[in-house]
Amino acid sequence: AVFAAYYFLKIPLISMTTTEKRQVLPTNVRPTHYNLTLLPDLKEFTFNGTEVINLNINENTKVIILHANDVKVKSAKIVSLNLKTSYSHEAVDISHDEQKQTATLTFPHDLPAGSTAALHLVFAGYLNDKMVGFYRSSYKDELNQTKYMATTQFEATEARRAFPCWDEPAIKATFDITLVVPSDLVALSNMNVISERQLPNDKKEVKFATTPIMSTYLVAFIVGDLAYVEKSTTGAQNGGKPVLVRVYATKGQENNGLFALNVAADVLEYFAGVFGIPYPLPKCDMVAIPDFEAGAMENWGLITYRTAAILFNPKDSDAKFKQRIAYTVSHELAHQWFGNLVTMDWWDHLWLNEGFATWVGYLAVVKVFPEWDYWTQFVTDGLQRGLQLDALRSSHPIEVPVNDPSEIHQIFDAISYYKGASVIRMLSNYLGEDVFLAGVRRYLKRHEYGNASTGDLWKALAEESGIDVEEFMSVWTRVVGYPVLNVTESDPNTLCISQSRFLSSGIVGSDEDTTVWWVPLGIDLGSNVQSDVRNAVLSKKEEILKLPHRADDFYQINARKTGVFRVNYPPERLAKLGQAVKKNLLETSDRVGLVADAGALALSGHGKTSGMLSLIKEFEDEEKYIVWMEINSRMADLLTAWFEQPEHVYQGLHAFRRHLVSKLVRKLGWEYSDSDDFLTTMLRTLVIRTAGKSGDPDVVNEALRRFKLFTSGDESAFHPNIRGAVYEIVLTYGGEEEFDFILDAYKNAKTADQKIVTLNALGLVQQENLIQKFLHFAISDEVKNQDIIYAFAGLQANRKSRRQLWNFVKQNWELIHERYSRSLVLFGNVIKYSIDLFASEEDIRDIENFFKDKDTKEFARPLKQSLENIRVNAAWLSRDKEDVENWLKNNGY
């Protein structure tokens, strides 16, 4: 990242304050309370506002600087709140700085230090279509008419687009919010409604209760034609106080919120007990927003979601969205304590919000849905996401310096969320979950309604556990990367274990390999062997470890995969672990981790790809969905990098994949039963999709047969769980007729998740003219901006369209930049999906040449990471293409 220099505002006596080069507001005044009134106009897409901000005057000053972005301050007046020093001054100058996103108010006389005052502002703004700040969202109602709602997204630095404020997480205040809206619309904010009165011209004024002290990025308000379902929690864990939970959606969609509603009611109770602090607000509203950049946003008491992340139709939705909804709801509810009640003091500590909410979100899902085996799913999903990104040189530490607002959105990534959660999981496993959660309760109670840093969490955990947590955990949060443990055996009972930084490139310079990580080894010696060696910790670069005698010579490192590292076993040991897989001696999470490590080590060159393929071959009799998720992911990585290799090699990889999954398709069949457990349901979908896309003739023919029945009006031809798989298969092996039908199905989809599944599948079309047709469709008004990533993901995964996608982006750069760069997180993903899966040095030169004359500051990190991924793939391909070809030949593929 490019760190901003100190910069100064061009006004007398006052400068923009910097803390370690942070761009923060001066400390001469501080707000304590906002009284905010907003009047949104959903026809003209504008809003007017007034606010009275109570201030503490910390220094004698004539100048007040606060944040304002795309908001015009029309008038400003300062009024004394001190009985002894009465004054009222109109501002003599109001200036706006667009670059610094500030408004500067200059008054004729000094405001005396130690006094209090009320700042009266009148302002106006625009309901934008950028999915940030106070913005408009469009949707089609039940009569297919376009309607609009107004909603907010303020994290990280966008509250300043809705009202002038001190828009930094540590500058907390209370808020009284009033909305003046059309009488027939619903108005929502963080708190409960305390009064509502009719006004002339079919308007109403809605006042909300005063909020607790909170950060500006958590303020929210929504105006729209909404309906809801509701449920109260029991209050059993909440100090005897039930909490009213509602799920709001556009009218006609509200009943699809019932699943999320029930999850929220259970999880709110669970968290009140786990955290030892009752939920602090009287209500919890959750709202489905048609246009939404992220998955969800934890606004205190008014949580907003993408529609697909909260609405589930049992008749029409794919079951995988059920799991996504349960996790997303749990994650956002965790933030009501961890982030909202206690907030990081600056964005450097974002992981305290996101890493913890990710970990405890999984904890809640395990509690509510134990049959989903969700911690094992974390091993293949969350842990691997964090490890894959952190294996790049262009990664960053969990605690990353953030100075310029343009840098903040770039760290909402797999490091802050998933590596952060993985490190917390490792520590919790080491201390014991009960001790860890007791430390969390201590931390929350100590800092409630305030701000905290990573060190504050370590201190609370140390007090609870009696262990100096910071001493060994700081390296995990302050240093980029993680280790690979290289294991050698001088005899079956003597291990030499050394650690070094793991990079996907496999090339680590001596100056990059100076870190010594604290590594709990998690050694498993089998169920019948008890030994202290199970609790061994590696805290040096290298250590000799003596194992007790074991009858079967079995051991594994990082049992249950709670540690944040890779293990590079000797080939002979890896083969023995492969045999242990065949004998069903390894837990599901250990089988997942074995495949994941083999794939990562093949990519980096620590091992051979033939070794990974031989290991995967040992999983022929595997029947666990979560293990197949990981196998499928590693095979997809291989097929991606090999996408332009000779056809007999590429098809040989598909033949091997067919061999792995086809017998499971025959065993599970195509029909879904209400008696199926959730993981069996998910496995059936996965193996049918995999077998079909790898060309299993029986699966392809059955998909085509069922698709024909479906197009003839038989809606029972295939279950919603498999709709996306069938679409992908028929587009891979069909043509224009299938494409046109599925495109029409997208336009007429009943639910948001159907649209996602269909849009992603359309990217699998094979014919060049249809690829071009879909590319133009994807960036048209028919596809919401937020959903472009699903179209690009399908096109990128399709080897026939991957190059066409990048060429299309280059040819239409100005249009794409104009349309999507308004939302910087979204635009970063557009870049990654356009280029991330190439595998040649020529592609790197082409991409670098394209961007050399463009300002890449706001997507510098995703661009750098994509280029590094390409280099890694190119090196992998160059190193192992003959190895893979020989393995396929020797194994009959």
Side-chain angles (χ1 to χ4, degrees):
V2 180
F3 297 113
Y6 292 88
Y7 69 86
F8 298 92
L9 296 172
K10 296 178 181 177
I11 53 171
L13 303 177
I14 285 287
S15 68
M16 180 71 94
T17 302
T18 61
T19 303
E20 298 173 355
K21 298 188 180 181
R22 291 178 190 167
Q23 295 179 13
V24 294
L25 291 171
T27 58
N28 59 333
V29 301
R30 278 292 180 262
T32 59
H33 179 74
Y34 295 77
N35 194 327
L36 174 65
T37 299
L38 288 163
L39 297 81
D41 185 331
L42 283 165
K43 293 179 180 175
E44 298 297 324
F45 304 135
T46 59
F47 62 89
N48 289 300
T50 61
E51 62 183 328
V52 179
I53 309 172
N54 291 359
L55 299 175
N56 288 334
I57 312 301
N58 299 325
E59 303 168 18
N60 290 342
T61 185
K62 295 179 182 179
V63 176
I64 293 174
I65 303 172
L66 70 171
H67 288 117
N69 186 19
D70 289 341
V71 169
K72 183 78 172 176
V73 179
K74 294 180 173 181
S75 69
K77 179 174 72 172
I78 193 86
V79 177
S80 170
L81 293 177
N82 288 59
L83 294 175
K84 293 181 180 179
T85 55
S86 176
Y87 59 80
S88 175
H89 304 309
E90 298 282 345
V92 294
D93 184 66
I94 300 172
S95 62
H96 294 80
D97 188 316
E98 290 185 13
Q99 183 183 358
K100 296 168 186 173
Q101 301 179 358
T102 57
T104 300
L105 316 175
T106 305
F107 295 95
H109 304 289
D110 266 346
L111 313 176
S115 66
T116 56
L119 177 64
H120 294 248
L121 300 177
V122 177
F123 59 92
Y126 177 63
L127 290 173
N128 69 73
D129 59 354
K130 300 176 183 179
M131 297 185 286
V132 292
F134 195 15
Y135 72 93
R136 65 185 188 265
S137 176
S138 67
Y139 62 96
K140 300 282 188 183
D141 68 9
E142 293 172 295
L143 300 175
N144 206 35
Q145 300 294 308
T146 298
K147 298 186 78 170
Y148 291 91
M149 61 192 293
T151 185
T152 57
Q153 171 59 39
F154 291 163
E155 192 177 31
T157 57
E158 307 294 355
R160 63 192 69 175
R161 288 182 187 268
F163 57 100
C165 57
W166 280 256
D167 199 12
E168 295 168 14
I171 307 180
K172 290 188 169 187
T174 53
F175 294 81
D176 281 327
I177 293 172
T178 301
L179 298 176
V180 177
V181 302
S183 298
D184 59 339
L185 298 184
V186 172
L188 301 171
S189 190
N190 304 84
M191 296 298 288
N192 51 299
V193 174
I194 55 171
S195 73
E196 188 172 307
R197 68 184 179 99
Q198 288 302 126
L199 300 176
N201 302 316
D202 293 323
K203 300 277 188 179
K204 64 182 177 182
E205 177 193 80
V206 184
K207 286 184 175 289
F208 300 90
T210 305
T211 70
I213 188 169
M214 61 190 285
S215 304
T216 50
Y217 80 89
L218 295 167
V219 174
F221 25 87
I222 297 170
V223 180
D225 189 14
L226 305 172
Y228 64 86
V229 290
E230 69 178 14
K231 181 178 185 177
S232 289
T233 66
T234 64
Q237 300 292 321
N238 202 57
K241 297 178 182 176
V243 177
L244 180 63
V245 184
R246 287 178 173 172
V247 175
Y248 284 84
T250 56
K251 281 184 177 173
Q253 292 288 321
E254 65 271 18
N255 285 325
N256 291 336
L258 286 168
F259 174 72
L261 178 70
N262 289 323
V263 171
D266 289 344
V267 170
L268 266 176
E269 279 294 316
Y270 174 64
F271 282 158
V274 164
F275 297 142
I277 298 173
Y279 176 73
L281 306 186
K283 59 92 175 176
C284 179
D285 293 334
M286 307 195 300
V287 189
I289 307 296
D291 298 276
F292 199 79
E293 179 187 63
M297 176 60 208
E298 66 266 21
N299 316 299
W300 215 355
L302 184 61
I303 306 169
T304 45
Y305 296 81
R306 277 191 182 215
T307 50
I310 189 171
L311 301 183
F312 182 83
N313 184 322
K315 181 172 175 286
D316 295 315
S317 293
D318 184 335
K320 71 181 179 184
F321 287 94
K322 203 173 197 178
Q323 189 167 267
R324 175 184 172 181
I325 289 166
Y327 166 71
T328 306
V329 167
S330 299
H331 180 107
E332 301 309 322
L333 291 177
H335 277 308
Q336 305 304 295
W337 287 264
F338 227 97
N340 299 7
L341 183 66
V342 180
T343 311
M344 76 250 147
D345 61 9
W346 183 251
W347 299 103
D348 292 21
H349 301 283
L350 174 70
W351 87 280
L352 274 179
N353 279 17
E354 299 303 347
F356 187 85
T358 300
W359 178 80
V360 83
Y362 273 80
L363 192 71
V365 173
V366 169
K367 175 72 174 178
V368 179
F369 299 100
E371 69 276 13
W372 290 358
D373 197 8
Y374 210 50
W375 273 129
T376 303
Q377 291 195 54
F378 179 83
V379 175
T380 190
D381 184 18
L383 176 62
Q384 300 311 318
R385 285 202 221 180
L387 292 179
Q388 284 169 15
L389 181 52
D390 207 31
L392 300 179
R393 276 192 179 83
S394 49
S395 181
H396 61 84
I398 287 175
E399 292 182 76
V400 58
V402 175
N403 304 301
D404 189 315
S406 70
E407 298 167 7
I408 296 170
H409 73 276
Q410 298 186 50
I411 62 166
F412 281 81
D413 63 7
I415 301 300
S416 298
Y417 285 72
Y418 295 110
K419 186 186 178 186
S422 298
V423 165
I424 287 170
R425 179 170 172 258
M426 178 171 68
L427 179 59
S428 170
N429 186 69
Y430 181 76
L431 298 178
E433 190 176 287
D434 289 345
V435 171
F436 180 81
L437 287 172
V440 167
R441 286 190 286 273
R442 183 186 289 257
Y443 165 86
L444 288 171
K445 194 65 185 170
R446 178 176 292 160
H447 300 285
E448 61 183 340
Y449 301 107
N451 296 81
S453 66
T454 302
D456 295 316
L457 177 60
W458 295 157
K459 182 181 178 183
L461 290 169
E463 290 169 354
E464 199 64 43
S465 66
I467 299 170
D468 187 351
V469 172
E470 184 166 12
E471 181 182 22
F472 56 82
M473 288 305 296
S474 60
V475 69
W476 283 103
T477 60
R478 294 177 184 170
V479 179
V480 67
Y482 62 90
V484 55
L485 304 192
N486 295 293
V487 183
T488 57
E489 301 175 11
S490 55
D491 63 64
N493 296 328
T494 306
L495 310 182
C496 178
I497 305 175
S498 62
Q499 59 166 288
S500 58
R501 183 179 176 187
F502 179 79
L503 287 174
S504 289
S505 66
I507 302 166
V508 184
S510 58
D511 60 326
E512 298 176 296
D513 195 21
T514 58
T515 303
V516 178
W517 281 274
W518 170 87
V519 184
L521 292 173
I523 294 177
D524 178 13
L525 302 170
S527 57
N528 298 319
V529 182
Q530 299 301 317
S531 171
D532 289 343
V533 78
R534 291 174 179 272
N535 302 317
V537 172
L538 179 66
S539 55
K540 298 185 289 189
K541 268 292 188 183
E542 183 174 297
E543 196 158 321
I544 303 295
L545 205 63
K546 288 286 188 181
L547 303 183
H549 176 73
R550 288 126 27 244
D552 58 1
D553 183 34
F554 172 82
Y555 77 86
Q556 64 168 329
I557 296 173
N558 200 13
R560 313 305 173 259
K561 302 303 170 276
T562 56
V564 186
F565 54 91
R566 303 283 187 198
V567 183
N568 184 22
Y569 294 104
E572 301 78 13
R573 178 58 53 184
L574 192 61
K576 287 179 180 178
L577 288 168
Q579 289 302 306
V581 168
K582 266 198 171 313
K583 295 174 186 174
N584 203 28
L585 297 177
L586 299 183
E587 295 283 342
T588 307
S589 56
D590 295 322
R591 302 201 299 280
V592 169
L594 199 59
V595 173
D597 282 359
L601 294 167
L603 177 65
S604 67
H606 285 82
K608 301 298 286 182
T609 307
S610 56
M612 179 192 78
L613 292 169
S614 293
L615 177 68
I616 288 174
K617 197 167 184 285
E618 301 289 359
F619 287 81
E620 289 173 326
D621 298 322
E622 179 62 59
E623 294 191 351
K624 291 287 188 181
Y625 164 68
I626 303 170
V627 180
W628 279 112
M629 283 174 68
E630 189 59 40
I631 293 171
N632 204 46
S633 173
R634 297 299 163 177
M635 288 300 299
D637 290 345
L638 184 56
L639 283 158
T640 292
W642 263 247
F643 81 111
E644 290 179 323
Q645 288 304 289
E647 195 66 11
H648 71 277
V649 175
Y650 188 77
Q651 294 305 331
L653 289 170
H654 273 300
F656 175 51
R657 196 160 73 152
R658 279 199 306 275
H659 170 77
L660 289 170
V661 299
S662 290
K663 66 179 179 182
L664 265 177
V665 177
R666 292 192 292 273
K667 178 178 178 178
L668 294 171
W670 286 67
E671 302 304 328
Y672 291 79
S673 166
D674 291 341
S675 63
D676 288 340
D677 65 78
F678 180 80
L679 295 178
T680 298
T681 294
M682 301 295 284
L683 177 62
R684 179 181 291 109
T685 303
L686 184 149
V687 296
I688 288 174
R689 171 182 276 112
T690 302
K693 289 170 69 177
S694 281
D696 182 300
D698 293 339
V699 174
V700 171
N701 289 333
E702 182 64 8
L704 291 167
R705 185 186 74 80
R706 288 173 180 259
F707 182 75
K708 189 171 183 180
L709 290 172
F710 187 70
T711 60
S712 300
D714 181 0
E715 292 197 1
S716 66
F718 47 78
H719 194 278
N721 290 342
I722 211 158
R723 180 187 288 112
V726 170
Y727 285 174
E728 289 174 21
I729 294 165
V730 300
L731 284 163
T732 301
Y733 296 97
E736 189 161 10
E737 183 180 343
E738 289 80 8
F739 176 83
D740 287 343
F741 181 89
I742 295 170
L743 187 64
D744 194 55
Y746 168 80
K747 295 175 182 178
N748 296 299
K750 299 173 187 173
T751 63
D753 55 81
Q754 279 185 31
K755 279 190 172 290
I756 289 170
V757 164
T758 307
L759 193 63
N760 185 250
L762 282 161
L764 274 292
V765 67
Q766 301 292 295
Q767 294 76 15
E768 185 171 345
N769 64 314
L770 298 179
I771 291 169
Q772 286 298 318
K773 182 176 179 179
F774 183 54
L775 281 163
H776 284 92
F777 178 82
I779 64 167
S780 73
D781 290 339
E782 297 263 17
V783 176
K784 283 186 173 291
N785 284 8
Q786 65 182 20
D787 291 338
I788 184 64
I789 55 174
Y790 302 115
F792 275 28
L795 288 158
Q796 185 196 42
N798 177 1
R799 70 173 181 145
K800 293 283 183 70
S801 57
R802 191 172 300 162
R803 292 204 173 281
Q804 289 197 54
L805 170 60
W806 171 228
N807 288 333
F808 181 82
V809 169
K810 287 188 289 185
Q811 291 160 11
N812 295 275
W813 175 254
E814 290 178 3
L815 186 156
I816 289 170
H817 184 266
E818 166 61 25
R819 186 178 176 100
Y820 303 108
S821 65
R822 303 171 191 176
S823 166
L824 295 175
V825 173
L826 179 69
F827 193 62
N829 284 323
V830 167
I831 299 298
K832 292 192 80 164
Y833 279 117
S834 301
I835 62 177
D836 207 36
L837 297 187
F838 291 124
S840 76
E841 293 293 335
E842 291 82 3
D843 287 309
I844 292 169
R845 287 191 288 272
D846 175 51
I847 293 162
E848 289 179 335
N849 185 60
F850 178 74
F851 284 112
K852 70 182 180 183
D853 60 349
K854 294 171 178 63
D855 182 0
T856 61
K857 175 185 174 184
E858 290 176 331
F859 54 90
R861 198 183 293 274
L863 176 60
K864 190 175 182 182
Q865 289 166 354
S866 292
L867 288 166
E868 189 173 350
N869 275 327
I870 298 169
R871 286 191 177 91
V872 167
N873 275 340
W876 182 24
L877 184 59
S878 174
R879 187 176 58 245
D880 273 11
K881 59 186 176 183
E882 288 183 13
D883 178 58
V884 169
E885 185 170 4
N886 289 335
W887 187 91
L888 291 170
K889 185 177 178 181
N890 293 337
N891 285 273
Y893 300 108

